[in-house]
Amino acid sequence: MVRLYGIPGCGPCEIVKMFLAQKGVPFEFVNARQNPEAAARIAELVGSPTAGVVLEWDGKTEVIRGVSPATLNAWYARYREKAS
């Protein structure tokens, strides 16, 4: 299960949510507006909820800045490699 930290309506977060759903990746969206620990995690790793996306899976944490098809596909390749 992938945990996606973000805030509702954040453009990059919404794109990543759609990407994960399209790829069939099970994920949990952690709303930083309702979860102070999630907000602190985002601030620690990214600085601002809209500055990037924080993903956690399989004991790993990754920040994706500049969400694009290339960055998402590169993350997905790493995710699939670990899932195999």
Side-chain angles (χ1 to χ4, degrees):
M1 170 79 65
V2 173
R3 296 184 83 191
L4 165 60
Y5 292 86
I7 57 173
C10 158
C13 299
E14 297 300 324
I15 290 169
V16 174
K17 284 166 52 175
M18 287 188 295
F19 178 83
L20 295 173
Q22 287 175 346
K23 295 294 186 183
V25 175
F27 72 94
E28 169 191 14
F29 180 73
V30 182
N31 184 343
R33 284 198 176 132
Q34 296 176 342
N35 184 324
E37 291 174 14
R41 185 94 171 120
I42 293 170
E44 171 190 332
L45 295 169
V46 184
S48 160
T50 57
V53 176
V54 177
L55 296 167
E56 288 183 341
W57 82 101
D58 196 29
K60 298 187 176 297
T61 300
E62 186 165 343
V63 174
I64 299 177
R65 298 179 198 277
V67 172
S68 70
T71 58
L72 291 175
N73 284 320
W75 174 85
Y76 185 64
R78 289 188 297 279
Y79 171 80
R80 295 280 299 157
E81 183 178 291
K82 295 296 178 186
S84 310

